[in-house]
Amino acid sequence: MFDPNKVKLGIAPIAWTNDDMPDLGNENTFQQCVSEMALAGFTGSEIGNKYPKDEAELKKALALRNVQICNAWFSAFLTTQPYEETEQAFMEHIRFLKAMGAQVVGVSEQGHSIQGQMETPIFEQKYVLNDARWDTLCQGLNQLGAKAKEIGMTLTFHHHMGTVVQTAEEIDRMMENTDPELVNLLFDTGHLAYCGVDPLAIARKYGKRIKHVHLKDIRPEVVREVKENHLSFLQGVRKGAFTVPGDGCIDFEPIFEALKDCDYQGWMVVEAEQDPAIANPLEYAIKARGYIREKTGL
Ligand SMILES: O=C1C[C@@H](O)[C@H](O)[C@@H](O)C1=O
Ligand SMILES: [Co+2]
């Protein structure tokens, strides 16, 4: 279905060690993580906290396993801090990513975000930007996108539960008010399904501007429990709200078709944070790899 020269498969280290809650999978080493990614049949990875900070060391460890870096999460604070502070951190981040061979960077707005707060109910207390701050956000994203473009990188924006860009309306507003030449979308199936947005509709709507994909599934019964019991995003993760594609309720087949129809080129990254003591990361990586092979031929 996909041309393997155009679409490549990666997996995120968050299933081995969770950077948002490092006690989850603290026992898993970097070496084990990248070895198991390769063993499961993935050729790409994002960057986790346990990865060596030294370029040469990281490159060598990855080359030994034929794994490439394809992205790393960047936290922007455009709505709460002076623009220059975010730009400075962003430049350092994308220079490292570029040196590692990545072509895209995934940016999330973390100003006012509640995603990392252990006790804050994820469905009730999400912050909503006013018009002035929306302008600040979109203008800042355009500026960061231009900086990325100058060095040959593509900025993709990661919509995310608990952040100021979570819902379909917020994604629309961000996309409509940013320059398509500078700001693209990081399409994360799990975060859309989690907040009740149809990932297929977003794939169809923004196909051409999707430049990076996170393949995440949800366990609807756990998401329901999070909602009913007013739990936080991180409490939900611990309970198993997310899982690998094919193991939850999202129908990925039409989503893959929609991406194929718009000639998607780039990485599709399995990103399914859950407790590694319950969901063995290698076992789930193999499961995800088999499901993607079955549905896409990749
Ligand atoms: O891309 C992501 C990075 C994680 O740190 C985050 O919390 C996760 O849910 C996600 O989608
Ligand atoms: Co994601």
Side-chain angles (χ1 to χ4, degrees), residues 13 39 69 95-96 180 203 237:
L39 190 59
I69 293 299
R95 283 190 191 112
F96 183 76
V237 169

Side-chain angles (χ1 to χ4, degrees), residues 63-176:
L64 285 170
R65 297 162 174 90
N66 191 30
V67 170
Q68 260 174 275
I69 293 299
C70 58
N71 171 40
W73 170 277
F74 177 76
S75 295
F77 292 91
L78 294 164
T79 60
T80 50
Q81 290 178 5
Y83 169 78
E84 291 66 29
E85 284 180 26
T86 292
E87 188 188 284
Q88 200 183 346
F90 182 70
M91 293 313 293
E92 213 175 290
H93 186 82
I94 59 174
R95 283 190 191 112
F96 183 76
L97 263 183
K98 189 176 164 69
M100 293 310 303
Q103 292 175 330
V104 307
V105 55
V107 173
S108 163
E109 174 59 19
Q110 286 297 301
H112 304 290
S113 168
I114 57 164
Q115 81 184 66
Q117 296 173 11
M118 189 50 89
E119 303 295 335
T120 310
I122 194 67
F123 280 102
E124 287 93 333
Q125 296 199 22
K126 197 194 92 58
Y127 190 86
V128 177
L129 290 178
N130 64 26
D131 290 348
R133 287 285 84 86
W134 264 110
D135 289 346
T136 311
L137 173 64
C138 295
Q139 201 187 318
L141 288 174
N142 280 336
Q143 283 177 262
L144 293 179
K147 285 286 173 191
K149 199 173 181 181
E150 265 172 37
I151 68 158
M153 299 278 297
T154 298
L155 184 154
T156 63
F157 187 86
H158 195 319
H159 57 89
H160 197 291
M161 286 298 294
T163 71
V164 292
V165 185
Q166 167 184 300
T167 65
E169 294 71 28
E170 288 166 339
I171 293 171
D172 287 344
R173 186 155 183 181
M174 186 279 298
M175 294 295 273
E176 280 160 17

Side-chain angles (χ1 to χ4, degrees), residues 46 73 158-160 186 188 191 214 216 271 273:
E46 301 203 350
W73 170 277
H158 195 319
H159 57 89
H160 197 291
L186 190 164
D188 187 315
H191 282 279
H214 282 173
K216 229 179 175 77
E271 192 205 42
E273 64 259 49

